[in-house]
Amino acid sequence: MRIQDAVIKTGLSKRTIYYYIKEKLIEPSTDSHSGYNDFSDDDIRRLIIIKKLRETGMSISNIRSVLAHPRTTGFYLHKQLNALQTEILILQKTLDNLDEFVSVFPVCRTIKDLENCLADANFKPDSSLYRINFDSRDASLISYYLWQAYMNVPMTEYRQFLWQKIMKYTTEQIKTNLRMFSLYLQYISPEQLDDAGITHYLRDQRIISLTKETIPDFTDELKKSLLDFVKDETMVSQWRLLYEPVIKPATMFGFSCSPLMIEFNPDFKRYYDNIHSCCMLLKEYLDAPKGRELNLLLSKAFGANYDFDESLYGEFEVAASFSQSVYSLLKPSEIQKFLSITV
C-alpha cells in the first residue's frame, strides 16, 4: 500500500512516517517502477506499535530495542514509568523553587541587577537525589526474573491469593534487603536481563526434570562449574563485590519465598527438592577427603563472602551457575561504578 493508505491506517503524518523510515524503525519495500514506498501489513503493525510507545514518551532508541527484542517490552515500560514519575518529582521541586523565588523577586532595572538577583538561584534540582524506588513496580520486575519458570499454571483464586502474598512480601523486602538487587536489575540493560532470564528459566527447567538417577551426574557438573568459578579471577571479583549488597539478599529472599512458591506451583517443589539434594551431595563431597582440594579453593576464592549454612547451601548453585547468571553481566569496574552511585 502507498503512504496515503499508511497515513489513514495509522493516524500518523507523512512526515512522521518518513522520519521513522529514516531512523530504520520500519523498512518498507520500494516499487521498482515508481520508486514509491510499498507498505506491508507488518509495516503498518510496527507503525501502530511505535505510535503507542511514543505516546508514553519512550525514546526512539528504546523503541528500536523493543522492536528488535519484543520480550523486553515490559522492562522498557517499567523503565519509562520510573523515568516519568522521577521527572514529575523534579518538575514539582522546580515549581516550588521558582514559586519561592518569584515571591521575593525585586524589580530589576538593569542587567546587573538581574545578574545579582539570579546569582544564587537554583531552579533545577539535582536529578540524582530523585533516584527513588517504585516498590510495587520493582517487585513485579524481581518476581518476573526469579519466578518466570513457574508462571505457566492456571491462575486459580487460591493461586491469586498466594501471588498477592508473594508480591506483598517482595515489596516489603525491596524497602530493606532487596533494595540493591532491585537497583541492580534496573541498572543492567533490558536485553541483558532478558537473556539472563531465559538462561535462568532453562536451567530451572532442567533442574525440575532431574531424577534420582540423574541427580549425581548433575552434582558432578556443579563440582566442575565450581572449579571453573574459583579459577576465574573476574568471576571471583564479581562475586566479592556483589555478595553482601546483592547476591546474599537475593538468595535468602528466594529461600524464604520457597514455602509460598511450593504451594503456588508443584514444579517449584520438584526444583527445590532436586537442587537441595544436589547441594547436599556436594556438601558431603566437600566435607570428605576427596573434596578437600576444592573446598580449600572455594574458601580461598570466597574469603568471607559466603554463608552456605544459612542458605541451606543454595549459594552453591548460585556460584556454580555464576557464569550464566545476571551477576556476571557487568565487569568488576562497572559493578564498582554501580555501587558508588547507589550506596
Side-chain angles (χ1 to χ4, degrees), residues 19-149:
Y19 173 68
Y20 293 153
I21 294 173
K22 180 183 176 183
E23 289 295 318
K24 298 189 182 302
L25 296 180
I26 62 166
E27 299 183 78
S29 60
T30 304
D31 189 296
S32 58
H33 298 293
S34 65
Y36 292 127
N37 290 314
D38 188 10
F39 294 86
S40 66
D41 289 340
D42 186 61
D43 292 326
I44 299 301
R45 191 176 299 114
R46 290 169 73 90
L47 283 170
I48 292 172
I49 291 170
I50 295 165
K51 178 183 177 182
K52 294 297 182 182
L53 293 179
R54 286 295 284 165
E55 287 173 359
T56 72
M58 190 178 292
S59 69
I60 292 295
S61 61
N62 285 349
I63 291 175
R64 185 178 291 109
S65 295
V66 167
L67 293 175
H69 307 279
R71 282 176 53 94
T72 66
T73 304
F75 300 130
Y76 276 107
L77 290 176
H78 180 277
K79 178 180 177 181
Q80 186 65 12
L81 273 168
N82 286 1
L84 288 172
Q85 194 155 351
T86 300
E87 184 179 345
I88 289 171
L89 292 173
I90 293 173
L91 285 173
Q92 185 59 58
K93 183 61 178 177
T94 300
L95 284 170
D96 293 342
N97 290 344
L98 181 58
D99 187 43
E100 182 180 353
F101 181 81
V102 168
S103 68
V104 296
F105 188 71
V107 175
C108 295
R109 294 179 174 83
T110 68
I111 290 295
K112 185 65 176 178
D113 290 341
L114 183 58
E115 179 189 16
N116 291 335
C117 288
L118 293 175
D120 297 323
N122 181 22
F123 301 126
K124 188 174 182 180
D126 183 357
S127 61
S128 67
L129 299 176
Y130 293 85
R131 282 199 315 269
I132 65 174
N133 289 320
F134 304 102
D135 297 335
S136 62
R137 297 176 200 147
D138 295 346
S140 298
L141 183 64
I142 288 174
S143 298
Y144 173 77
Y145 174 74
L146 290 177
W147 314 123
Q148 60 176 305

Side-chain angles (χ1 to χ4, degrees), residues 220-231:
D220 287 338
E221 290 184 31
L222 294 182
K223 296 174 190 174
K224 183 180 183 305
S225 296
L226 286 173
L227 185 59
D228 292 338
F229 172 84
V230 298
K231 291 180 177 180

Side-chain angles (χ1 to χ4, degrees), residues 200-311:
H200 182 73
Y201 171 86
L202 294 174
R203 187 173 180 86
D204 278 13
Q205 290 295 320
R206 186 181 175 202
I207 293 170
I208 289 168
S209 67
L210 293 176
T211 64
K212 289 182 179 180
E213 291 74 27
T214 58
I215 281 176
D217 291 336
F218 188 77
T219 305
D220 287 338
E221 290 184 31
L222 294 182
K223 296 174 190 174
K224 183 180 183 305
S225 296
L226 286 173
L227 185 59
D228 292 338
F229 172 84
V230 298
K231 291 180 177 180
D232 191 308
E233 293 182 2
T234 298
M235 287 197 292
V236 170
S237 179
Q238 291 166 322
W239 176 282
R240 290 186 175 186
L241 288 167
L242 288 173
Y243 179 73
E244 284 294 340
V246 177
I247 295 174
K248 182 179 180 181
T251 303
M252 292 309 303
F253 167 75
F255 175 66
S256 63
C257 270
S258 295
L260 289 172
M261 287 304 301
I262 286 171
E263 285 193 71
F264 183 80
N265 189 333
D267 280 351
F268 186 81
K269 178 171 174 51
R270 287 190 283 274
Y271 166 84
Y272 182 86
D273 289 343
N274 287 342
I275 198 60
H276 181 69
S277 296
C278 291
C279 288
M280 289 299 99
L281 286 175
L282 184 57
K283 179 181 181 299
E284 290 177 11
Y285 170 79
L286 294 173
D287 289 342
K290 59 184 177 180
R292 177 176 174 78
E293 181 180 356
L294 178 57
N295 203 350
L296 290 174
L297 289 172
L298 286 171
S299 298
K300 182 180 178 180
F302 288 126
N305 298 292
Y306 71 96
D307 193 340
F308 295 144
D309 291 327
E310 189 175 0
S311 66

